[in-house]
Each structure stands twice: as C-alpha cells, then as structure tokens.
C-alpha cells in the first residue's frame, strides 16, 4: 500500500523479467500478440496467488476494502482482472462479491468486472439464490440489453424474484415501443427457464396495447404474439410436469 498520496493506494511493481523460477512455477514467458510482457507476467502471478495472501499483505483489509482502493500508474484494470480470474479459479465467493459490486452500480458492473463474460464467471462462484438475486437486481437497474449472458448462469427454473424481474423488464421494453425480436434471446431463455407457475402473471400482457406515436409501427401486435407464444410454452411445460410427476395415490 502506498501512503504517499492523498490517501492509501495500491502500488504495483510488475516483474521486470520472467526468470527461470517463474517459468518453473508455470508462468508462460511469451505473451499473446498485442499484450505487454510485464502485464502478462503480472496477471499470471496474481491469478495464481492464493487470495488469502492479500488481506495480510494489504494492511488487514477485507476483499471489499482492497478492491475499493485506487491502483497507481494505470495498473487497476490488469490487477482487478487477475483478481477476477483468481476468484473464479479458487471459487472464492467473498472476493467474487467484492469484484462484482452491487448490481445497480453505474455501467452495470463492479470495479473488477471488466466484461459481461467475467461477471458471469464471478456469479458462478455464488450459491444459486444469491446469484439469482444479483441478476434480478442487475436487470431492475439496467434492463435486459446486457443480461442474456448473466441469465445463462442462473439455476433453472428461475427463482420467483428473477422471473418477475425478467417479465417486468420485457413489459417495460414493450411499453417503450421496441420490437420484440430485439429481445428474442431473452424470450427464448424465458420459454425454457421461467417457472411454469408464472404463466398466469403473463395473461395481462397478451392484449395488443394502444400504439404510441413514437413507437415502432406494429410493435404492439408483435409483442402480443411473442407473449402468447411464451405463455403457451409455459403452460405446455406445466402440463408435461404434471404428467411426469403424477400425485401419489
């Protein structure tokens, strides 16, 4: 920790070379095209280091406090990305929570979640209910445009809060006048992953809404068809489940 500035910050000194000891321990010396050598070596070292090392090394801080510290000299992205990979590799839920941040955070991610794919991997370290709750909060704050990859890591059938957040977000998209095929991927997931018991909640969405002046022409009718297909699929799944799991005599 560097205390020379206005507040504490993390100072990073990347390896100046890849010595034989590093190669012995599994560090790949040659970086991929377009990647700097020192950042490549640093990332591998941090990813492989047990995450339990850092609280003692960085002043007894918790993972959340560590991730919140500024990182000097432009190393923040590289360091946090390596911590993300370490949290996934070591299945460390506490570090994953710190790196994910709160789901309503600006720009849809925590300080270390540098991509949707990385967020999805971090979510995989959390238990099912917590994972679904985080994604539900993300959708409530940011809508569905970036949620497809995150929904794919949630347990099926989706929990009631997650299912409600998806349906509410689809309803908001419909009211905004968007075309439903912009959300065809989420609609397809919903057909497979929504709890069939949620079908009754969708009945109110089957009517063709009055078109707003600024809406895309015909969008309301397309949405009604899309919701009808979703409800039909959910009811078919409910019937299949009933036949596969008959009541005990």
């Amino acid at each position: 920790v560097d205390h020379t500035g206005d507040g504490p910050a993390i100072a990073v000194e990347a390896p100046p070379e890849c010595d034989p000891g590093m190669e012995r321990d599994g560090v790949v010396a040659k970086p991929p095209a377009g990647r700097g050598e020192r950042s490549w070596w640093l990332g591998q070292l941090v990813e492989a280091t047990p995450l339990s090392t850092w609280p003692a090394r960085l002043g007894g801080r918790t993972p959340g406090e560590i991730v919140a510290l500024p990182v000097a000299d432009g190393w923040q992205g590289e360091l946090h990305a390596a911590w993300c990979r370490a949290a996934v590799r070591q299945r460390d839920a506490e570090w994953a929570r710190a790196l994910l941040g709160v789901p309503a955070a600006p720009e849809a991610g925590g300080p270390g979640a540098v991509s949707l794919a990385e967020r999805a991997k971090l979510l995989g370290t959390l238990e099912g209910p917590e994972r679904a709750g985080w994604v539900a909060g993300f959708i409530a704050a940011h809508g569905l445009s970036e949620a497809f990859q995150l929904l794919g890591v949630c347990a099926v059938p989706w929990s009631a809060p997650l299912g409600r957040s998806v349906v509410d977000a689809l309803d908001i998209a419909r009211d905004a006048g968007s075309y439903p095929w912009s959300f065809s991927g989420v609609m397809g997931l919903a057909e497979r992953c929504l709890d069939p018991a949620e079908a009754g909640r969708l009945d109110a969405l089957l009517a063709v809404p009055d078109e707003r002046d600024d809406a895309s022409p015909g969008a309301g009718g397309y949405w009604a068809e899309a919701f009808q297909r979703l409800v039909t699929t959910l009811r078919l799944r409910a019937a299949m489940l009933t036949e596969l799991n008959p009541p005990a005599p």
Side-chain angles (χ1 to χ4, degrees):
V1 179
D2 181 5
H3 294 282
T4 59
D6 295 335
I10 296 176
V12 175
E13 184 179 349
E17 62 177 339
C18 185
D19 60 35
M22 289 166 60
E23 291 195 67
R24 177 203 63 209
D25 291 341
V27 174
V28 178
K30 186 176 180 180
R35 185 77 179 273
E37 286 183 332
R38 297 186 69 198
S39 64
W40 171 245
W41 300 330
L42 175 75
Q44 292 180 80
L45 289 173
V46 173
E47 179 182 350
T49 300
L51 288 164
S52 57
T53 301
W54 301 112
R57 181 81 178 179
L58 300 175
R61 291 173 171 83
T62 66
E65 292 168 336
I66 291 171
V67 169
L69 286 172
V71 183
D73 301 325
W75 285 107
Q76 179 163 314
E78 189 67 51
L79 180 61
H80 284 187
W83 275 336
C84 282
R85 296 192 299 273
V88 172
R89 182 175 179 174
Q90 298 172 40
R91 309 298 298 172
D92 193 306
E94 185 179 8
W95 272 89
R97 290 186 197 101
L99 291 158
L100 280 166
V102 295
E107 298 183 6
V114 296
S115 68
L116 281 171
E118 201 138 39
R119 282 194 285 275
K121 290 176 182 177
L122 288 169
L123 284 166
T125 68
L126 306 180
E127 294 294 330
E130 184 180 3
R131 189 185 317 169
W134 196 95
V135 177
F138 178 96
I139 292 170
H142 304 289
L144 291 167
S145 60
E146 294 187 327
F148 182 80
Q149 208 163 0
L150 305 181
L151 286 167
V153 301
C154 293
V156 177
W158 289 335
S159 67
L162 178 55
R164 284 194 294 269
S165 73
V166 172
V167 172
D168 289 346
L170 288 170
D171 192 18
I172 291 170
R174 180 191 67 162
D175 289 345
S178 304
Y179 278 121
W181 48 77
S182 301
F183 302 91
S184 58
V186 173
M187 276 288 196
L189 271 182
E191 289 186 33
R192 298 191 297 275
C193 302
L194 267 176
D195 189 332
E198 295 288 303
R201 294 187 62 249
L202 296 169
D203 287 340
L205 304 177
L206 301 182
V208 179
D210 295 332
E211 285 195 7
R212 295 169 17 188
D213 293 338
D214 58 348
S216 302
Y222 290 123
W223 274 108
E225 291 178 17
F227 281 124
Q228 181 63 65
R229 185 170 60 250
L230 175 57
V231 169
T232 300
T233 302
L234 291 177
R235 289 187 170 142
L236 173 61
R237 288 176 53 212
M240 292 169 67
L241 289 171
T242 299
E243 293 189 12
L244 290 168
N245 299 283

